[in-house]
Amino acid sequence: MADSGADQGYKKYDSYYLAVDPEQDDKATEIKLCNFSRPHMRAFHFSWWCFFIAFFIWFAIAPLLGEIQDTIGLTKQQIWTSNIVGVGGTIFMRFAMGPACDKFGSRVLFAILLCCCSIPTSLTGIINSPLTLTILRLFIGFVGATFVPCQYWTSRMFAKNVVGTANALVGGWGNLGGGVTQLVVGSALFPLFKYFYNDGERTTERIAELAWRSVNVVPAVVGFMTGVAVYCFSDDAPKGQYKELKKHGVMPEVSAAASFRDGAFNINTWLLFIQYACCFGVELTMNNAAALYFREEFGQNTESAAAIASIFGWMNLFARGFGGFLSDKFNARMGMKGRLLIHTICLAAEGGMVLIFANSNSLVFAIILMVFFSIFVQAAEGTSYGIVPYVDPPNTGSISGIVGAGGNTGAVAFGMGFRQLDYKQAFYLMGFSIIGSSVLSIFIFIKGCSSLLCGGTDEAIGSEKIATLEVPEVPAEAPVKPTASATAAPAPYLAESDDDESIEC
């Protein structure tokens, strides 16, 4: 903190519309989904929307790969090389985004990534060889690093009693963009563009080529506009913008290198890195593989394969949020041991579902299995980031970045499997890897928290324990004063309660 002569009381807002905890830097202790007020809920909704649009940009090309393959004569290996590069390029960016979030905040980084990555997305039409496809997907893939500011922002805005749910909701609704993109681009915009280009004289092949070469201008424009909006209409932290907080001495300057070093030297970070590789890495792989899988294995056309593939992403509408919610509820009952337990269960169930899915020969049965497979994938992602904010709170940005990079690392590893093996063998490799990663939870020991098998106690954090929060009743129309003496400030962690008063519409 700043020295005693600094203005320690600076904050942009005199009151908030959510209950906050002054001992946690005015972080909100409740979530009101239908509220868009600054700073907390505005950041919440911008977090998931920006990440959603990032997926819209990132995977807009995925449902079109079959058409691109037909136009320029790609092999399976060349397609998967572009898939691997598209997710692999994000690894370094996610590592970099973690300490950058600690230093600059999420708002600025969201704006930069969305605006910059919209440019190569708009240039999809210039693809004329495997090399140009791969290079373009490399630069588009940088937008996947938006996951780190997405998770960092809600960790910065919401207190520990609801941060698992908040992180899971914004991550899940953002990931939903992967499924929506399959449907919007592959099953709606692509046929629409083909209709516009059909003048009665062009061949079917020429119409399809013109459509895929121009359709990605739509997600590019939406992405750029979103980047501008998030920069202009949101806040870095509950008390305002980082620039102003540093100027008034409320927030110290952060060394990005020191933040990354501290996060990287924590063994728990790398255990979660591996586990996240086996859930988010699986989702990224399925975003690339699902449409091709149903096209090649079940004889579906581009439009129907994209529609089926979109189902995997649509589970994000509730499944990742449900995983975070379960993490918070198990934490309320059992402390960190509860978070680790439900996380392990989700990973093990996910791996089992992959193995069953790999043996499905019926289209209907495959779709049903994919739904349950996807639910456990997203839930495991939610439980992962229910744990991350506890690992080393001062370096949450760096740890979020490293763990997030694990997702892309997993996608690269699984992508190599799909590139070299047939689908059944690749799914076997994926399933057994996931089950193996679930065992790693027994080695996660977080300072001041209980572990999965070795017991331990959850210590107090500030004036609170890591248990449940009894949120006081606050009139909906009355803003909450953020001062320590405010009557609407949250009480300390008290007895457990099954009432979900911290999440409202």
Side-chain angles (χ1 to χ4, degrees), residues 272-313:
L272 289 167
F273 174 96
I274 296 170
Q275 292 185 321
Y276 201 63
C278 291
C279 49
F280 188 62
V282 170
E283 179 175 3
L284 293 180
T285 303
M286 289 300 292
N287 284 340
N288 280 320
L292 287 172
Y293 176 72
F294 285 103
R295 194 172 189 257
E296 295 174 10
E297 296 294 309
F298 294 97
Q300 302 298 300
N301 60 30
T302 298
E303 290 83 355
S304 60
I308 294 170
S310 72
I311 297 171
F312 191 93

Side-chain angles (χ1 to χ4, degrees), residues 64 184-185 188-199 202 206-219:
L64 307 174
V184 171
V185 176
L189 289 177
F190 180 65
L192 181 63
F193 273 60
K194 285 201 298 184
Y195 173 78
F196 288 145
Y197 284 118
N198 188 357
D199 60 359
R202 296 187 177 103
R206 180 58 178 164
I207 292 170
E209 180 182 353
L210 290 172
W212 74 253
R213 287 188 182 278
S214 54
V215 69
N216 278 353
V217 170
V218 176

Side-chain angles (χ1 to χ4, degrees), residues 267-477:
I267 187 62
N268 297 310
T269 302
W270 297 102
L271 294 173
L272 289 167
F273 174 96
I274 296 170
Q275 292 185 321
Y276 201 63
C278 291
C279 49
F280 188 62
V282 170
E283 179 175 3
L284 293 180
T285 303
M286 289 300 292
N287 284 340
N288 280 320
L292 287 172
Y293 176 72
F294 285 103
R295 194 172 189 257
E296 295 174 10
E297 296 294 309
F298 294 97
Q300 302 298 300
N301 60 30
T302 298
E303 290 83 355
S304 60
I308 294 170
S310 72
I311 297 171
F312 191 93
W314 277 103
M315 296 303 103
N316 276 296
L317 189 61
F318 70 93
R320 182 162 180 157
F322 186 60
F325 174 78
L326 287 177
S327 182
D328 285 340
K329 297 302 288 183
F330 272 67
N331 175 67
R333 296 295 184 186
M334 305 167 65
M336 180 55 64
K337 180 178 180 179
R339 290 193 189 272
L340 293 170
L341 177 62
I342 190 61
H343 181 54
T344 304
I345 291 171
C346 288
L347 281 170
E350 174 196 343
M353 291 306 302
V354 174
L355 298 177
I356 299 172
F357 176 76
N359 288 283
S360 173
N361 296 315
S362 161
L363 177 61
V364 174
F365 191 45
I367 293 173
I368 294 171
L369 284 171
M370 186 176 69
V371 169
F372 288 99
F373 164 28
S374 178
I375 288 173
F376 284 113
V377 170
Q378 328 299 352
E381 294 168 7
T383 57
S384 295
Y385 273 81
I387 299 169
V388 166
Y390 290 81
V391 175
D392 186 5
N395 300 297
T396 295
S398 293
I399 294 169
S400 293
I402 294 171
V403 175
N408 291 79
T409 305
V412 170
F414 294 134
M416 292 294 291
F418 278 87
R419 184 181 186 275
Q420 300 301 130
L421 305 172
D422 62 43
Y423 282 114
K424 189 170 185 177
Q425 290 177 315
F427 279 123
Y428 275 170
L429 173 66
M430 178 184 284
F432 286 118
S433 298
I434 297 166
I435 293 173
S437 75
S438 68
V439 179
L440 296 178
S441 295
I442 65 178
F443 301 108
I444 296 177
F445 298 95
I446 298 173
K447 183 179 180 181
C449 298
S450 54
S451 61
L452 187 59
L453 296 181
C454 300
T457 353
D458 295 293
E459 297 176 357
I461 296 181
S463 63
E464 305 176 356
K465 291 193 308 179
I466 306 174
T468 59
L469 180 72
E470 188 175 276
V471 181
E473 295 292 334
V474 181
E477 68 279 1

